[in-house]
């Protein structure tokens, strides 16, 4: 199996983290690329699990050193995918899941032409705002800024391979699962395919030599 590079994007509150958590719990062939950020941890976030939390200086130093596959600014903070994270997961033979915004997603696509880009849409603007408020992790000002940015993010959804409306959570998780199942079966991604075709073809030839099965 050729590991997939899977990108999940959405406006803030669109359900990326929730769906990512579910996928990671349900599949042992998938692992998460832990990004670096300069934003402070939210209550309950753990260093090295949700993010590697860096000072602006440390982030800049790692950017200068070329450690990021991509990085972008969001809400006054910096976020970046560490090349070492993506390498760690792929070398372990697993698919790699990236929860990143749209500018970073474009850069990942440039780097990995066959990355699978999935955009999650909220069922409505009202529900997006409600989910963000209910999550309770940001101030009113930050929520307004995130909703403002959501407008340009939604416009970028057409650049993605798949768009899923995250209305019912179970259905949305199931839809991403189906995409992973199908993408892994693409002819172009099946590393051992020629060996498999050759083996089965030889086996069929042996059956032919053995004679007519009804004879
Ligand atoms: P993101 O990571 O995209 O910012 P989250 O995964 O944190 O979004 O989801 C935002 C909030 O919406 C969370 O409180 C989450 O529990 C809730 N949520 C996510 N998906 C659904 C859904 N399908 N139905 C109801 N609530 C949801
Ligand atoms: P949050 O602060 O809600 O965790 O994340 C804010 C935004 O930054 C989300 O859209 C999230 O997907 C994005 N993000 C998280 N990590 C990265 C990253 O490594 N690169 C980019 N480009 N965006 C990221």
């Amino acid at each position: 199996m050729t590991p997939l590079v899977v990108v999940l994007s959405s406006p803030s509150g669109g359900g990326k983290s929730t769906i990512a958590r579910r996928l990671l719990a349900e599949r042992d062939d998938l692992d998460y690329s832990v990004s670096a950020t300069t934003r402070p941890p939210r209550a309950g976030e753990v260093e090295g699990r949700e993010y590697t939390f860096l000072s602006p200086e440390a982030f800049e130093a790692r950017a200068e050193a070329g450690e990021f596959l991509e990085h972008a600014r969001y809400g006054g903070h910096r976020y970046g995918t560490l090349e070492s994270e993506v390498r760690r997961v792929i070398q372990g033979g697993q698919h790699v899941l990236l929860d990143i915004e749209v500018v970073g997603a474009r850069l990942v696509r440039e780097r990995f032409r066959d990355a699978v880009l999935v955009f999650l849409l909220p069922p409505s603007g009202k529900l997006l705002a409600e989910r963000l408020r209910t999550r309770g992790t940001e101030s009113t000002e930050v929520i307004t800024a995130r909703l403002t940015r959501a407008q340009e993010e939604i416009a970028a959804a057409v650049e993605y391979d798949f768009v899923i409306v995250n209305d019912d959570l179970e259905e949305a998780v199931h839809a991403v699962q189906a995409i992973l199942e199908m993408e892994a079966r693409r002819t172009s991604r099946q590393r051992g395919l020629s060996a498999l075709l050759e083996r089965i073809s030889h086996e069929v030839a042996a059956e032919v030599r053995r004679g007519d099965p009804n004879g």
Side-chain angles (χ1 to χ4, degrees), residues 16 35 39 42 51 70 79-81 99-101 104 146:
K16 296 176 296 296
S35 291
R39 101 154 150 65
R42 291 176 186 145
Y51 286 105
E70 60 75 31
Y79 295 80
T81 304
D99 165 345
I100 65 176
E101 53 68 70
R146 286 180 171 230

Side-chain angles (χ1 to χ4, degrees), residues 187-206:
T187 313
S188 57
R189 295 190 200 274
Q190 297 203 33
R191 240 182 221 157
L193 186 61
S194 43
L196 176 69
L197 299 179
E198 201 174 328
R199 172 173 69 74
I200 295 177
S201 183
H202 277 116
E203 288 169 2
V204 171

Side-chain angles (χ1 to χ4, degrees), residues 69-131:
L69 202 140
E70 60 75 31
H71 54 90
R73 287 178 195 274
Y74 182 96
H77 296 291
R78 301 181 77 181
Y79 295 80
T81 304
L82 290 159
E83 190 126 30
S84 55
E85 274 294 287
V86 172
R87 206 179 322 118
R88 171 183 66 78
V89 178
I90 289 178
Q91 284 179 355
Q94 290 169 294
H95 305 306
V96 59
L97 183 64
L98 278 62
D99 165 345
I100 65 176
E101 53 68 70
V102 302
V103 176
R106 286 187 192 117
L107 296 166
V108 168
R109 169 82 94 195
E110 278 173 26
R111 180 71 179 272
F112 299 100
R113 297 307 307 177
D114 60 354
V116 183
L117 271 59
V118 180
F119 196 93
L120 302 171
L121 267 183
S124 70
K126 190 167 185 292
L127 261 178
L128 179 67
E130 255 175 51
R131 286 180 185 172

Side-chain angles (χ1 to χ4, degrees), residues 10-19 99 131 135 166-169:
S10 78
S12 185
K16 296 176 296 296
S17 320
T18 307
I19 289 175
D99 165 345
R131 286 180 185 172
R135 188 171 72 188
N166 177 22
D167 190 350
D168 177 78
L169 180 63

Side-chain angles (χ1 to χ4, degrees), residues 17-32 94-95 97 168-181:
S17 320
T18 307
I19 289 175
R21 267 197 302 277
R22 282 286 304 272
L23 294 170
L24 292 161
E26 290 175 18
R27 303 185 68 107
D28 54 16
D29 62 352
L30 179 74
D31 201 2
Y32 189 60
Q94 290 169 294
H95 305 306
L97 183 64
D168 177 78
L169 180 63
E170 296 307 317
E171 280 178 25
V173 171
H174 188 258
V176 185
Q177 288 279 28
I179 290 167
L180 298 185
E181 290 305 315

